[in-house]
Amino acid sequence: MQKMFRGVLKHRKIVIAIFILLTIICAACIPHVKVNADMSDYLPPSAKSSQDLSAMKETYGNDITNARVYVTGISQVDAEKFTSELKDEGDVVSVTWLGDEVDLDEPLEVQDQDTVSDWYDGQGYLFQMVLSDTVDQQEIDHIRELGYDLPGAQNVAMDGSAVSNASSMSTLDTDMAHIMAIAVITVFVIVMLSTTSYLHPVVMLLTIGIAIILNMGTNIFRGTISSITQLVASVLQLAVSMDYSIVLLTNFGKYREKYDDQFDAMVAAMTKSFPVILSSAAVTFFGFLSLSAMQFLIGQDMGIALAKGIVCSFFTITLLMPCILYNMRKAVEKTTHKPFIKSFKGMARFCHKGAIPALIIVLVIAVPALLGSQGVSFTYGEASNLAPTSQVKLDNDTINEAFGESQTWAIMVPEGQWSEEDTLVNELKALPTTKSVLSYTTVAGDGLPDELADADEVSQLINGGYSRIILTSNIPDEGTVAFNLVETVRNLCEEHYGDGYHLVGNAVSYYDIRSVTSGDNTTVKLASIISIGVVLLIMFKSISIPITLLLAIEVSIWINEAVPYFMGTFVNFVAFLVIDAVQLGASVDYAIIYTEDYLTRRKRMGKRRASIEAIEHAAQPIITSSSILIVACLGIYVVASSPLIQDVGLLIARGAFISVILIFFVLPQLFVIFDGFIRHSSLKLGFFNEKSAASQHSEE
């Protein structure tokens, strides 16, 4: 190892040049990585709604209503003009309005008022659109401008999944810039306070910044990543990777005092740090990778990106950072300062005194926390991921107030079975949530030959051997009412067609997301515990130490996950799914730092003294690293416009804080209590024998 690192440091210009070249290439790739904000696209191919959506797109294309526009203050003539203008827009596939439902040559007063009220509320007209998958915020804004350009137009409101996705994508870069700015400032301030040079945080940020670019650029090989991965992967990589750079800096500082030559000191620091960083990175790597065990493919998306980020950070910190640090050694010396925090003795004594009360509290709340974590209520839909002050959310409230909540689903059934279709249509019409049902038989009648009906209308309803039924219901995107309706409609379709039907709609996708992810939480938990447990087992050559560490951290995860339940708040399902692996992967690093220090001291002193001194000496790296993660993730919570991303930030920040509290107060006490168990279930620990030492002292 020394020969290898000596060669790396000797040829540091080549190493730096290679990393610069890779960074330039990856930076050029980043703009070409596609980002997807639609969570329903991450349903596994085996999910019913995923199969149905593929069949629907293959047969009919993308023509399920995904946007609504409500324009107030305009005349009927201008509303018809607006419809024509919308149809001329490139991203508009189709438009439906009042004129498609009633005969406008007759006064509205003599028309069916239930139908009229679905499209006109006396103040303005509602237009339902099918927008292409490529629609962006610029096109949404243009459509809004077309509405405002109409004579007398007072307000133009737009909502729907296409509008929500476009809005999410438009704020992605801004949110990411704000999040990274807060993370960088946090790292700079905290590292500066905890190290001895003003340049140390600069070197660390430069190194990890390169690692982040390498990770983001290599996402091009995956084609597309989710918007949540794009937003949180970089800041998590930055926060978690700080542990590795702190280890290297700490060891370099120690060896500088032992060696006259800084070259030898750096080689020694690299050699000493490598196994520690490797172990820590391996634990975090497998913790993040365990997300890939989820059925819901967002886990694979995030797991691969986060694990890949750890690999990039590992190589940049173990190879690149020493080269940069050594090249800047003179500048680092000129910018040295005295440590701002000199001792943690007082904190160690405080933690020792509070250990027993803390352990009792944890024992009392552990089971309720576990039960509470299993009873949390989740949100799945796009509407719940809209910030209360966002334009889309305000528009959604406006349209719902005027016309009620609305969902449009499409049902594909075999063509030609008109009797079965008529029966199904009548059953759908009889449902209390139904606003309208459109099918070939309702438009043309089952006795009208296809060739005599309007060609465009027929192609929308009959195609590829299927007849399509359009069901519009007065329901929200998700929730008990929506999910019950999914079950009801599926049961009705199965009664008539068995498995020969396809059902597509937002709530249908969310229903399947809920079903698919119901077991993912347990899967991720088991995968992360087993993978990290195996790494710890190999690392410490002990059965009891992994159990002790994982027990302390798992309890902290239960407490964190139970908070929303006891507060009565909803949590986005994605945020809740990832917290197990992320909190465990990050927190186990802190536990490892304490454990290694404790085991080293336990070889030459008693268990209580070793536990206290280990807190004192491990406090600085643990507090430094955890503070960065906590503050950076709180920054995510504060600046992110997406409630989903806010949930992720809050859960990680709160989880890291709870984990650190348990590591300082509870973990040391567990080591004291399980001292005998640890001694007899571990290899070659060489614990100091307190009884033997006491016996020798009494004989003397």
Side-chain angles (χ1 to χ4, degrees), residues 377-432:
S377 299
F378 304 114
T379 59
Y380 301 89
E382 287 156 352
S384 63
N385 195 32
L386 297 175
T389 57
S390 68
Q391 185 65 53
V392 183
K393 175 61 176 173
L394 296 175
D395 286 356
N396 177 253
D397 293 340
T398 299
I399 297 176
N400 285 344
E401 184 178 348
F403 298 98
E405 295 177 303
S406 180
Q407 278 259 330
T408 299
W409 299 353
I411 308 169
M412 285 171 55
V413 298
E415 178 190 355
Q417 300 181 22
W418 305 122
S419 176
E420 291 288 349
E421 184 173 328
D422 276 339
T423 304
L424 176 60
V425 166
N426 290 330
E427 290 172 343
L428 294 174
K429 287 181 177 179
L431 295 175

Short mmCIF file of all heavy atoms in Angstrom, two decimals, residues 377-432:
data_model
loop_
_atom_site.label_atom_id
_atom_site.label_comp_id
_atom_site.label_asym_id
_atom_site.label_seq_id
_atom_site.Cartn_x
_atom_site.Cartn_y
_atom_site.Cartn_z
N SER A 377 -49.24 7.54 7.43
CA SER A 377 -50.07 7.72 6.23
C SER A 377 -49.24 8.38 5.13
O SER A 377 -48.47 9.30 5.40
CB SER A 377 -51.28 8.60 6.56
OG SER A 377 -52.09 7.98 7.55
N PHE A 378 -49.43 7.91 3.89
CA PHE A 378 -48.60 8.38 2.79
C PHE A 378 -49.40 9.10 1.72
O PHE A 378 -50.61 8.93 1.61
CB PHE A 378 -47.88 7.19 2.13
CG PHE A 378 -47.06 6.37 3.08
CD1 PHE A 378 -47.40 5.06 3.38
CD2 PHE A 378 -45.95 6.91 3.69
CE1 PHE A 378 -46.65 4.30 4.25
CE2 PHE A 378 -45.19 6.17 4.57
CZ PHE A 378 -45.53 4.86 4.85
N THR A 379 -48.69 9.90 0.93
CA THR A 379 -49.25 10.51 -0.27
C THR A 379 -48.51 9.93 -1.47
O THR A 379 -47.32 9.62 -1.39
CB THR A 379 -49.10 12.04 -0.28
OG1 THR A 379 -47.71 12.38 -0.18
CG2 THR A 379 -49.85 12.65 0.89
N TYR A 380 -49.24 9.78 -2.60
CA TYR A 380 -48.67 9.15 -3.79
C TYR A 380 -48.78 10.03 -5.03
O TYR A 380 -47.99 9.91 -5.94
CB TYR A 380 -49.36 7.81 -4.07
CG TYR A 380 -49.27 6.82 -2.94
CD1 TYR A 380 -50.23 6.79 -1.92
CD2 TYR A 380 -48.23 5.90 -2.88
CE1 TYR A 380 -50.14 5.88 -0.89
CE2 TYR A 380 -48.14 4.98 -1.85
CZ TYR A 380 -49.10 4.98 -0.85
OH TYR A 380 -49.01 4.07 0.19
N GLY A 381 -49.79 10.90 -5.08
CA GLY A 381 -50.11 11.62 -6.30
C GLY A 381 -49.30 12.88 -6.52
O GLY A 381 -48.63 13.39 -5.63
N GLU A 382 -49.41 13.40 -7.75
CA GLU A 382 -48.70 14.62 -8.12
C GLU A 382 -49.28 15.84 -7.41
O GLU A 382 -48.55 16.79 -7.11
CB GLU A 382 -48.76 14.81 -9.64
CG GLU A 382 -47.88 13.82 -10.39
CD GLU A 382 -48.35 13.59 -11.81
OE1 GLU A 382 -49.44 14.08 -12.15
OE2 GLU A 382 -47.63 12.92 -12.56
N ALA A 383 -50.58 15.84 -7.16
CA ALA A 383 -51.21 16.99 -6.52
C ALA A 383 -50.64 17.22 -5.12
O ALA A 383 -50.46 18.36 -4.68
CB ALA A 383 -52.73 16.79 -6.44
N SER A 384 -50.33 16.12 -4.41
CA SER A 384 -49.77 16.26 -3.06
C SER A 384 -48.33 16.73 -3.08
O SER A 384 -47.77 17.10 -2.05
CB SER A 384 -49.85 14.91 -2.33
OG SER A 384 -49.06 13.94 -3.00
N ASN A 385 -47.72 16.72 -4.27
CA ASN A 385 -46.33 17.15 -4.40
C ASN A 385 -46.23 18.59 -4.90
O ASN A 385 -45.18 19.02 -5.36
CB ASN A 385 -45.57 16.21 -5.35
CG ASN A 385 -44.08 16.38 -5.25
OD1 ASN A 385 -43.55 16.68 -4.19
ND2 ASN A 385 -43.40 16.20 -6.36
N LEU A 386 -47.35 19.33 -4.82
CA LEU A 386 -47.35 20.73 -5.22
C LEU A 386 -47.25 21.61 -3.98
O LEU A 386 -47.97 21.41 -3.01
CB LEU A 386 -48.64 21.06 -5.97
CG LEU A 386 -48.88 20.31 -7.29
CD1 LEU A 386 -50.27 20.66 -7.83
CD2 LEU A 386 -47.81 20.65 -8.31
N ALA A 387 -46.35 22.57 -4.03
CA ALA A 387 -46.22 23.51 -2.91
C ALA A 387 -47.51 24.32 -2.80
O ALA A 387 -48.10 24.70 -3.82
CB ALA A 387 -45.02 24.42 -3.13
N PRO A 388 -47.97 24.61 -1.57
CA PRO A 388 -49.24 25.34 -1.39
C PRO A 388 -49.27 26.69 -2.10
O PRO A 388 -50.33 27.16 -2.48
CB PRO A 388 -49.32 25.52 0.13
CG PRO A 388 -48.47 24.42 0.69
CD PRO A 388 -47.37 24.22 -0.29
N THR A 389 -48.09 27.30 -2.27
CA THR A 389 -48.04 28.63 -2.89
C THR A 389 -47.71 28.58 -4.38
O THR A 389 -47.61 29.62 -5.02
CB THR A 389 -47.00 29.50 -2.17
OG1 THR A 389 -45.71 28.84 -2.23
CG2 THR A 389 -47.38 29.73 -0.73
N SER A 390 -47.53 27.39 -4.94
CA SER A 390 -47.17 27.29 -6.35
C SER A 390 -48.36 27.66 -7.23
O SER A 390 -49.52 27.51 -6.83
CB SER A 390 -46.70 25.87 -6.69
OG SER A 390 -47.78 24.95 -6.59
N GLN A 391 -48.06 28.13 -8.44
CA GLN A 391 -49.12 28.54 -9.36
C GLN A 391 -50.03 27.38 -9.71
O GLN A 391 -51.25 27.52 -9.81
CB GLN A 391 -48.49 29.12 -10.64
CG GLN A 391 -49.50 29.69 -11.62
CD GLN A 391 -50.25 30.88 -11.06
OE1 GLN A 391 -49.65 31.85 -10.60
NE2 GLN A 391 -51.57 30.83 -11.09
N VAL A 392 -49.42 26.20 -9.90
CA VAL A 392 -50.22 25.02 -10.27
C VAL A 392 -51.19 24.66 -9.15
O VAL A 392 -52.36 24.32 -9.41
CB VAL A 392 -49.31 23.82 -10.59
CG1 VAL A 392 -50.15 22.63 -11.03
CG2 VAL A 392 -48.30 24.17 -11.66
N LYS A 393 -50.75 24.73 -7.92
CA LYS A 393 -51.61 24.40 -6.78
C LYS A 393 -52.74 25.42 -6.65
O LYS A 393 -53.91 25.05 -6.43
CB LYS A 393 -50.78 24.35 -5.50
CG LYS A 393 -51.58 24.13 -4.22
CD LYS A 393 -52.34 22.81 -4.23
CE LYS A 393 -53.04 22.57 -2.92
NZ LYS A 393 -53.91 21.37 -2.96
N LEU A 394 -52.42 26.69 -6.79
CA LEU A 394 -53.44 27.74 -6.71
C LEU A 394 -54.46 27.58 -7.83
O LEU A 394 -55.67 27.72 -7.61
CB LEU A 394 -52.78 29.12 -6.78
CG LEU A 394 -51.84 29.48 -5.62
CD1 LEU A 394 -51.16 30.82 -5.89
CD2 LEU A 394 -52.60 29.53 -4.30
N ASP A 395 -53.97 27.27 -9.03
CA ASP A 395 -54.87 27.05 -10.16
C ASP A 395 -55.73 25.81 -9.95
O ASP A 395 -56.93 25.80 -10.29
CB ASP A 395 -54.07 26.89 -11.46
CG ASP A 395 -53.50 28.20 -11.96
OD1 ASP A 395 -53.79 29.25 -11.34
OD2 ASP A 395 -52.76 28.19 -12.96
N ASN A 396 -55.13 24.76 -9.40
CA ASN A 396 -55.87 23.54 -9.11
C ASN A 396 -57.02 23.81 -8.14
O ASN A 396 -58.14 23.32 -8.34
CB ASN A 396 -54.91 22.49 -8.54
CG ASN A 396 -55.60 21.20 -8.15
OD1 ASN A 396 -55.79 20.91 -6.98
ND2 ASN A 396 -56.00 20.41 -9.13
N ASP A 397 -56.76 24.61 -7.12
CA ASP A 397 -57.81 24.96 -6.15
C ASP A 397 -58.92 25.77 -6.83
O ASP A 397 -60.11 25.57 -6.54
CB ASP A 397 -57.20 25.76 -4.99
CG ASP A 397 -56.27 24.93 -4.14
OD1 ASP A 397 -56.37 23.68 -4.18
OD2 ASP A 397 -55.43 25.52 -3.41
N THR A 398 -58.52 26.68 -7.73
CA THR A 398 -59.50 27.51 -8.43
C THR A 398 -60.42 26.66 -9.31
O THR A 398 -61.65 26.82 -9.29
CB THR A 398 -58.78 28.56 -9.32
OG1 THR A 398 -57.99 29.41 -8.49
CG2 THR A 398 -59.78 29.39 -10.10
N ILE A 399 -59.84 25.75 -10.07
CA ILE A 399 -60.63 24.90 -10.96
C ILE A 399 -61.51 23.93 -10.17
O ILE A 399 -62.68 23.71 -10.52
CB ILE A 399 -59.71 24.13 -11.93
CG1 ILE A 399 -58.96 25.11 -12.83
CG2 ILE A 399 -60.52 23.15 -12.77
CD1 ILE A 399 -57.95 24.46 -13.75
N ASN A 400 -60.96 23.37 -9.10
CA ASN A 400 -61.75 22.45 -8.26
C ASN A 400 -62.94 23.16 -7.62
O ASN A 400 -64.02 22.59 -7.47
CB ASN A 400 -60.87 21.82 -7.19
CG ASN A 400 -59.94 20.76 -7.74
OD1 ASN A 400 -60.14 20.27 -8.85
ND2 ASN A 400 -58.93 20.41 -6.98
N GLU A 401 -62.73 24.41 -7.23
CA GLU A 401 -63.82 25.18 -6.62
C GLU A 401 -64.92 25.45 -7.63
O GLU A 401 -66.11 25.45 -7.28
CB GLU A 401 -63.26 26.50 -6.08
CG GLU A 401 -64.29 27.33 -5.33
CD GLU A 401 -63.70 28.61 -4.76
OE1 GLU A 401 -62.46 28.73 -4.74
OE2 GLU A 401 -64.48 29.48 -4.34
N ALA A 402 -64.55 25.65 -8.89
CA ALA A 402 -65.54 25.96 -9.91
C ALA A 402 -66.23 24.70 -10.45
O ALA A 402 -67.46 24.71 -10.67
CB ALA A 402 -64.87 26.71 -11.07
N PHE A 403 -65.48 23.62 -10.66
CA PHE A 403 -66.04 22.45 -11.33
C PHE A 403 -65.89 21.15 -10.53
O PHE A 403 -66.35 20.10 -10.98
CB PHE A 403 -65.36 22.26 -12.70
CG PHE A 403 -65.59 23.40 -13.64
CD1 PHE A 403 -64.63 24.39 -13.79
CD2 PHE A 403 -66.77 23.49 -14.36
CE1 PHE A 403 -64.85 25.45 -14.66
CE2 PHE A 403 -66.99 24.54 -15.24
CZ PHE A 403 -66.02 25.53 -15.38
N GLY A 404 -65.27 21.22 -9.39
CA GLY A 404 -65.07 20.02 -8.59
C GLY A 404 -63.83 19.26 -9.04
O GLY A 404 -63.30 19.48 -10.13
N GLU A 405 -63.38 18.36 -8.20
CA GLU A 405 -62.24 17.52 -8.56
C GLU A 405 -62.66 16.56 -9.66
O GLU A 405 -63.79 16.07 -9.69
CB GLU A 405 -61.73 16.76 -7.34
CG GLU A 405 -61.17 17.68 -6.26
CD GLU A 405 -60.73 16.91 -5.03
OE1 GLU A 405 -61.58 16.20 -4.46
OE2 GLU A 405 -59.56 17.04 -4.63
N SER A 406 -61.71 16.28 -10.54
CA SER A 406 -62.07 15.46 -11.70
C SER A 406 -60.90 14.58 -12.12
O SER A 406 -59.74 15.00 -12.08
CB SER A 406 -62.47 16.36 -12.87
OG SER A 406 -62.83 15.59 -13.99
N GLN A 407 -61.22 13.35 -12.48
CA GLN A 407 -60.24 12.40 -13.00
C GLN A 407 -60.82 11.76 -14.25
O GLN A 407 -61.99 11.36 -14.28
CB GLN A 407 -59.97 11.30 -11.97
CG GLN A 407 -58.99 11.70 -10.89
CD GLN A 407 -57.62 11.12 -11.16
OE1 GLN A 407 -57.48 10.06 -11.75
NE2 GLN A 407 -56.61 11.83 -10.72
N THR A 408 -60.01 11.67 -15.29
CA THR A 408 -60.43 11.00 -16.52
C THR A 408 -59.62 9.72 -16.70
O THR A 408 -58.39 9.77 -16.72
CB THR A 408 -60.23 11.92 -17.74
OG1 THR A 408 -61.03 13.09 -17.57
CG2 THR A 408 -60.65 11.21 -19.01
N TRP A 409 -60.32 8.61 -16.81
CA TRP A 409 -59.69 7.31 -17.04
C TRP A 409 -60.10 6.78 -18.41
O TRP A 409 -61.12 7.19 -18.97
CB TRP A 409 -60.12 6.28 -15.98
CG TRP A 409 -59.77 6.64 -14.57
CD1 TRP A 409 -58.99 7.68 -14.15
CD2 TRP A 409 -60.20 5.96 -13.40
NE1 TRP A 409 -58.91 7.69 -12.77
CE2 TRP A 409 -59.63 6.64 -12.29
CE3 TRP A 409 -60.99 4.84 -13.16
CZ2 TRP A 409 -59.85 6.24 -10.98
CZ3 TRP A 409 -61.21 4.43 -11.86
CH2 TRP A 409 -60.64 5.11 -10.77
N ALA A 410 -59.31 5.86 -18.91
CA ALA A 410 -59.64 5.20 -20.18
C ALA A 410 -59.66 3.69 -19.97
O ALA A 410 -58.79 3.14 -19.29
CB ALA A 410 -58.62 5.56 -21.25
N ILE A 411 -60.68 3.06 -20.55
CA ILE A 411 -60.82 1.60 -20.43
C ILE A 411 -60.83 1.02 -21.84
O ILE A 411 -61.67 1.39 -22.67
CB ILE A 411 -62.13 1.21 -19.71
CG1 ILE A 411 -62.24 1.95 -18.37
CG2 ILE A 411 -62.19 -0.30 -19.50
CD1 ILE A 411 -63.62 1.83 -17.73
N MET A 412 -59.91 0.13 -22.13
CA MET A 412 -59.87 -0.57 -23.41
C MET A 412 -60.52 -1.94 -23.25
O MET A 412 -60.12 -2.72 -22.40
CB MET A 412 -58.42 -0.76 -23.88
CG MET A 412 -57.77 0.50 -24.41
SD MET A 412 -55.98 0.27 -24.70
CE MET A 412 -55.98 -1.15 -25.80
N VAL A 413 -61.54 -2.20 -24.08
CA VAL A 413 -62.20 -3.50 -24.05
C VAL A 413 -62.24 -4.05 -25.48
O VAL A 413 -62.12 -3.29 -26.45
CB VAL A 413 -63.63 -3.39 -23.48
CG1 VAL A 413 -63.59 -2.89 -22.04
CG2 VAL A 413 -64.49 -2.47 -24.35
N PRO A 414 -62.40 -5.34 -25.67
CA PRO A 414 -62.43 -5.92 -27.03
C PRO A 414 -63.54 -5.30 -27.88
O PRO A 414 -64.67 -5.11 -27.43
CB PRO A 414 -62.68 -7.41 -26.78
CG PRO A 414 -62.15 -7.65 -25.40
CD PRO A 414 -62.46 -6.40 -24.63
N GLU A 415 -63.21 -4.98 -29.12
CA GLU A 415 -64.17 -4.38 -30.04
C GLU A 415 -65.23 -5.40 -30.48
O GLU A 415 -64.94 -6.59 -30.61
CB GLU A 415 -63.43 -3.86 -31.28
CG GLU A 415 -64.34 -3.25 -32.33
CD GLU A 415 -63.62 -2.96 -33.62
OE1 GLU A 415 -62.39 -3.15 -33.66
OE2 GLU A 415 -64.29 -2.57 -34.60
N GLY A 416 -66.46 -4.91 -30.65
CA GLY A 416 -67.51 -5.75 -31.22
C GLY A 416 -68.43 -6.40 -30.22
O GLY A 416 -69.52 -6.85 -30.59
N GLN A 417 -68.05 -6.46 -28.96
CA GLN A 417 -68.93 -7.07 -27.95
C GLN A 417 -69.83 -5.97 -27.38
O GLN A 417 -69.72 -5.57 -26.22
CB GLN A 417 -68.07 -7.72 -26.85
CG GLN A 417 -67.16 -8.82 -27.37
CD GLN A 417 -66.34 -9.47 -26.28
OE1 GLN A 417 -66.70 -9.42 -25.09
NE2 GLN A 417 -65.23 -10.10 -26.66
N TRP A 418 -70.73 -5.47 -28.23
CA TRP A 418 -71.49 -4.27 -27.89
C TRP A 418 -72.44 -4.49 -26.71
O TRP A 418 -72.67 -3.56 -25.92
CB TRP A 418 -72.27 -3.80 -29.11
CG TRP A 418 -71.40 -3.58 -30.31
CD1 TRP A 418 -71.50 -4.17 -31.52
CD2 TRP A 418 -70.26 -2.71 -30.40
NE1 TRP A 418 -70.52 -3.74 -32.37
CE2 TRP A 418 -69.74 -2.84 -31.70
CE3 TRP A 418 -69.64 -1.85 -29.51
CZ2 TRP A 418 -68.63 -2.14 -32.15
CZ3 TRP A 418 -68.52 -1.13 -29.94
CH2 TRP A 418 -68.02 -1.28 -31.23
N SER A 419 -72.99 -5.66 -26.58
CA SER A 419 -73.90 -5.92 -25.47
C SER A 419 -73.16 -5.81 -24.13
O SER A 419 -73.65 -5.18 -23.18
CB SER A 419 -74.53 -7.31 -25.61
OG SER A 419 -75.34 -7.61 -24.50
N GLU A 420 -72.00 -6.43 -24.08
CA GLU A 420 -71.19 -6.36 -22.86
C GLU A 420 -70.76 -4.92 -22.59
O GLU A 420 -70.79 -4.44 -21.45
CB GLU A 420 -69.94 -7.25 -22.99
CG GLU A 420 -70.21 -8.74 -23.00
CD GLU A 420 -70.63 -9.27 -21.64
OE1 GLU A 420 -70.52 -8.55 -20.63
OE2 GLU A 420 -71.08 -10.42 -21.58
N GLU A 421 -70.39 -4.22 -23.67
CA GLU A 421 -69.94 -2.83 -23.50
C GLU A 421 -71.08 -1.95 -23.01
O GLU A 421 -70.88 -1.10 -22.12
CB GLU A 421 -69.37 -2.30 -24.81
CG GLU A 421 -68.80 -0.89 -24.68
CD GLU A 421 -68.09 -0.44 -25.94
OE1 GLU A 421 -67.50 -1.30 -26.65
OE2 GLU A 421 -68.10 0.78 -26.22
N ASP A 422 -72.28 -2.15 -23.58
CA ASP A 422 -73.43 -1.36 -23.14
C ASP A 422 -73.71 -1.58 -21.65
O ASP A 422 -74.00 -0.63 -20.90
CB ASP A 422 -74.68 -1.74 -23.94
CG ASP A 422 -74.76 -0.99 -25.26
OD1 ASP A 422 -74.10 0.06 -25.36
OD2 ASP A 422 -75.46 -1.46 -26.17
N THR A 423 -73.64 -2.83 -21.24
CA THR A 423 -73.90 -3.15 -19.83
C THR A 423 -72.86 -2.49 -18.93
O THR A 423 -73.19 -1.90 -17.89
CB THR A 423 -73.87 -4.68 -19.61
OG1 THR A 423 -74.81 -5.29 -20.48
CG2 THR A 423 -74.20 -5.01 -18.17
N LEU A 424 -71.59 -2.59 -19.34
CA LEU A 424 -70.52 -1.97 -18.54
C LEU A 424 -70.68 -0.46 -18.48
O LEU A 424 -70.54 0.15 -17.41
CB LEU A 424 -69.15 -2.33 -19.14
CG LEU A 424 -67.93 -1.68 -18.47
CD1 LEU A 424 -67.85 -2.08 -17.00
CD2 LEU A 424 -66.64 -2.06 -19.20
N VAL A 425 -71.01 0.16 -19.62
CA VAL A 425 -71.20 1.61 -19.65
C VAL A 425 -72.32 2.02 -18.71
O VAL A 425 -72.20 3.01 -17.96
CB VAL A 425 -71.50 2.08 -21.10
CG1 VAL A 425 -72.03 3.52 -21.10
CG2 VAL A 425 -70.25 1.99 -21.96
N ASN A 426 -73.42 1.29 -18.70
CA ASN A 426 -74.54 1.61 -17.81
C ASN A 426 -74.15 1.45 -16.34
O ASN A 426 -74.57 2.24 -15.48
CB ASN A 426 -75.75 0.72 -18.14
CG ASN A 426 -76.38 1.08 -19.47
OD1 ASN A 426 -76.32 2.24 -19.90
ND2 ASN A 426 -76.96 0.09 -20.14
N GLU A 427 -73.36 0.42 -16.07
CA GLU A 427 -72.89 0.22 -14.69
C GLU A 427 -71.95 1.34 -14.26
O GLU A 427 -71.99 1.79 -13.10
CB GLU A 427 -72.19 -1.14 -14.57
CG GLU A 427 -73.13 -2.32 -14.68
CD GLU A 427 -72.40 -3.65 -14.75
OE1 GLU A 427 -71.17 -3.65 -15.04
OE2 GLU A 427 -73.04 -4.70 -14.53
N LEU A 428 -71.12 1.81 -15.16
CA LEU A 428 -70.22 2.92 -14.85
C LEU A 428 -71.01 4.21 -14.63
O LEU A 428 -70.70 5.01 -13.74
CB LEU A 428 -69.20 3.12 -15.99
CG LEU A 428 -68.18 1.99 -16.19
CD1 LEU A 428 -67.34 2.25 -17.44
CD2 LEU A 428 -67.28 1.84 -14.97
N LYS A 429 -72.04 4.42 -15.47
CA LYS A 429 -72.89 5.61 -15.31
C LYS A 429 -73.60 5.62 -13.97
O LYS A 429 -73.87 6.69 -13.40
CB LYS A 429 -73.92 5.68 -16.44
CG LYS A 429 -73.35 6.07 -17.79
CD LYS A 429 -74.47 6.13 -18.84
CE LYS A 429 -73.94 6.59 -20.19
NZ LYS A 429 -75.01 6.64 -21.22
N ALA A 430 -73.90 4.44 -13.45
CA ALA A 430 -74.65 4.34 -12.20
C ALA A 430 -73.78 4.60 -10.96
O ALA A 430 -74.32 4.78 -9.85
CB ALA A 430 -75.27 2.94 -12.09
N LEU A 431 -72.48 4.64 -11.13
CA LEU A 431 -71.60 4.89 -9.99
C LEU A 431 -71.80 6.32 -9.49
O LEU A 431 -71.90 7.26 -10.29
CB LEU A 431 -70.13 4.67 -10.38
CG LEU A 431 -69.74 3.24 -10.77
CD1 LEU A 431 -68.29 3.21 -11.27
CD2 LEU A 431 -69.91 2.29 -9.59
N PRO A 432 -71.86 6.53 -8.17
CA PRO A 432 -72.14 7.88 -7.63
C PRO A 432 -71.06 8.91 -7.94
O PRO A 432 -71.33 10.11 -7.88
CB PRO A 432 -72.24 7.62 -6.11
CG PRO A 432 -71.48 6.35 -5.88
CD PRO A 432 -71.69 5.52 -7.11
#
